[in-house]
Amino acid sequence: MFEFNRIFKKSRYIEVKNTENEDGEKKPNIPSGMWVKCETCGKILYSKDLEISIMTCENCRTHFRIGSRERINYTIDSGTFIEYDKNMISDNPIDFEGYEKKLKELRDKTLLNEAVITGEGKINGQDTIIAVMDSNFMMGSMGSVVGEKITRAIEKATETKKTIIIFTASGGARMQEGIYSLMQMAKTSAAIARHNKMGGLYITVLTDPTTGGVTASFAMLGDIIIAEPNALIGFAGKRVIEQTIKEQLPEGFQRAEFLLAKGFIDKVVDRKAMKDTLTEILKIHS
């Protein structure tokens, strides 16, 4: 049960004003964003407590989706991150109607230039190169810029003999760029192959959701593949598969734990333990 006395501590004080509804009944006006409901277990969570727990529900272990910058802050040592290709933005290669307007709106809303941030930094003192996808920008879809930034990060890792870590979060290829988007599957996979040939380590961290063309390319090519709990991982959607094969799929199909049991991934790791887990892997392979 939630400890209501905790909200009256000085550091947690928020003024709550009473307002009247249409019937004249007075109800407390709770500030927006103060509470968050877990969609899995239904528990009401205090937003500050949720932030302390790195956006995971203490009651049911649900991992809330987070942005790329938040994930970098949780993973990379403070003050060590150097971003690559920060100002690279997408064009409209097939003149898709409304695409440029959509991109501008998303850049203004999310303060991101694209659906991935790449760069280098330290994880508990261990040097690494990292790419973090962001589902807030067009559901993390992979267009030409996303593929180019990830490819450049991989090539930089190969050149400097560093480990590349990619956090995936994507709905797949970006339809607004047509064949240019699909080409990124081959380009990123080829870069991973060259990195592997030179003896470089590649770690994939699959987060919710990782689907479509990203799953069918670099996401599943890691030397070590980690996933967050209950992350949705797959190519086609469950309903599409069921309609195609005319069969009911097993419970938990395409979730991280199911894929672990079937040998598709190596480990399911809680977000709280992710940084330490990556540190140990980097130390072993340094």
Side-chain angles (χ1 to χ4, degrees):
M1 183 178 293
F2 183 80
E3 298 175 3
F4 284 98
N5 62 318
R6 295 178 64 189
I7 69 174
F8 296 107
K9 292 180 181 179
K10 184 175 181 181
S11 61
R12 295 176 182 271
Y13 176 77
I14 295 178
E15 183 179 4
V16 178
K17 299 179 180 179
N18 288 332
T19 57
E20 292 186 359
N21 60 16
E22 294 178 356
D23 300 324
E25 182 183 356
K26 289 187 176 182
K27 290 188 175 182
N29 181 20
I30 299 175
S32 176
M34 181 177 177
W35 304 97
V36 179
K37 181 180 179 180
C38 176
E39 295 297 332
T40 303
C41 68
K43 186 178 178 65
I44 305 301
L45 307 169
Y46 184 50
S47 59
K48 292 294 183 184
D49 289 338
L50 190 58
E51 290 173 10
I52 293 171
S53 64
I54 318 183
M55 301 306 290
T56 60
C57 177
E58 295 287 355
N59 187 55
C60 69
R61 199 182 168 212
T62 289
H63 284 48
F64 287 69
R65 293 179 182 179
I66 60 175
S68 51
R69 296 200 184 280
E70 289 89 346
R71 196 175 293 280
I72 288 169
N73 289 338
Y74 292 144
T75 308
I76 300 297
D77 297 349
S78 178
T80 68
F81 184 68
I82 301 172
E83 187 173 348
Y84 298 157
D85 304 310
K86 184 177 182 179
N87 298 317
M88 188 182 293
I89 60 174
S90 293
D91 199 357
N92 191 0
I94 62 172
D95 296 323
F96 192 94
E97 185 177 353
Y99 183 42
E100 291 168 327
K101 180 182 178 182
K102 179 70 173 177
L103 288 173
K104 186 181 183 306
E105 289 174 349
L106 282 167
R107 286 196 291 267
D108 293 339
K109 180 181 178 180
T110 65
L111 302 180
L112 297 168
N113 282 331
E114 254 300 341
V116 68
I117 293 179
T118 61
E120 63 181 79
K122 295 180 182 294
I123 299 179
N124 285 329
Q126 301 291 311
D127 289 322
T128 191
I129 290 177
I130 191 171
V132 183
M133 304 187 76
D134 197 316
S135 60
N136 293 311
F137 196 104
M138 294 196 77
M139 202 51 220
S141 56
M142 181 169 63
S144 53
V145 167
V146 170
E148 180 66 17
K149 291 182 71 172
I150 289 174
T151 300
R152 290 188 183 192
I154 297 166
E155 291 175 342
K156 184 71 172 179
T158 306
E159 177 189 341
T160 58
K161 294 182 173 56
K162 292 180 181 178
T163 297
I164 174 80
I165 301 173
I166 302 181
F167 285 81
T168 62
S170 179
R174 189 174 299 178
M175 67 176 187
Q176 291 88 345
E177 295 189 22
I179 191 64
Y180 292 93
S181 175
L182 297 177
M183 287 169 56
Q184 308 312 311
M185 295 171 62
K187 184 166 72 176
T188 53
S189 298
I192 290 296
R194 292 191 293 270
H195 184 68
N196 180 266
K197 187 177 181 179
M198 296 299 293
L201 177 65
Y202 169 38
I203 303 170
T204 319
V205 182
L206 311 178
T207 75
D208 185 58
T210 297
T211 60
V214 169
T215 303
S217 55
F218 62 87
M220 301 303 290
L221 295 176
D223 298 304
I224 298 173
I225 303 177
I226 299 170
E228 287 192 332
N230 204 42
L232 176 65
I233 305 162
F235 181 61
K238 181 179 179 181
R239 283 179 297 178
V240 173
I241 298 172
E242 288 180 334
Q243 290 169 6
T244 301
I245 67 175
K246 311 298 182 186
E247 291 182 17
Q248 186 84 18
L249 292 171
E251 185 68 26
F253 179 77
Q254 291 186 323
R255 293 294 173 175
E257 291 75 10
F258 184 89
L259 271 66
L260 177 64
K262 299 299 180 181
F264 281 89
I265 63 177
D266 298 303
K267 192 174 180 65
V268 175
V269 178
D270 278 18
R271 189 174 294 158
K272 292 179 182 179
M274 187 64 72
K275 184 171 183 177
D276 288 340
T277 299
L278 292 173
T279 301
E280 290 304 309
I281 296 172
L282 290 171
K283 285 181 178 178
I284 291 170
H285 290 82
S286 63

